[in-house]
Amino acid sequence: MCKFFKKLLKVLLVTVGVLFVVYFWNLDQKLMSWLYMRVNEIFDRKKVDLVF
C-alpha cells in the first residue's frame, strides 16, 4: 500500500511541476498562437465561393 502512495505522490508532483512550467512560461498561449497561424495558412489558401 505504501508503494502505491509513493507512486501516486510522484505522479502528482510531476504533474504539478509540468503545469507550473507551462503557466510560468505562458507555453499554452505560445502554442495557441502557433496553432492559429497554421490554421490561418490553411484557410487562406482555400478558394472562397462568393454567392450573391
Side-chain angles (χ1 to χ4, degrees):
M1 193 60 119
C2 188
K3 282 185 177 183
F4 172 75
F5 286 119
K6 283 184 180 181
K7 188 173 267 191
L8 180 65
L9 181 64
K10 224 183 255 189
V11 168
L12 289 175
L13 286 174
V14 167
T15 303
V16 169
V18 167
L19 289 174
F20 176 75
V21 168
V22 167
Y23 170 77
F24 187 74
W25 281 316
N26 278 339
L27 295 179
D28 54 339
Q29 291 179 3
K30 290 177 184 176
L31 176 65
M32 289 306 293
S33 69
W34 178 84
L35 184 64
Y36 281 141
M37 286 190 298
R38 297 302 164 261
V39 168
N40 284 333
E41 285 177 4
I42 292 169
F43 285 106
D44 285 345
R45 284 185 282 180
K46 288 186 171 184
K47 287 178 129 181
V48 177
D49 294 334
L50 294 174
V51 179
F52 292 103

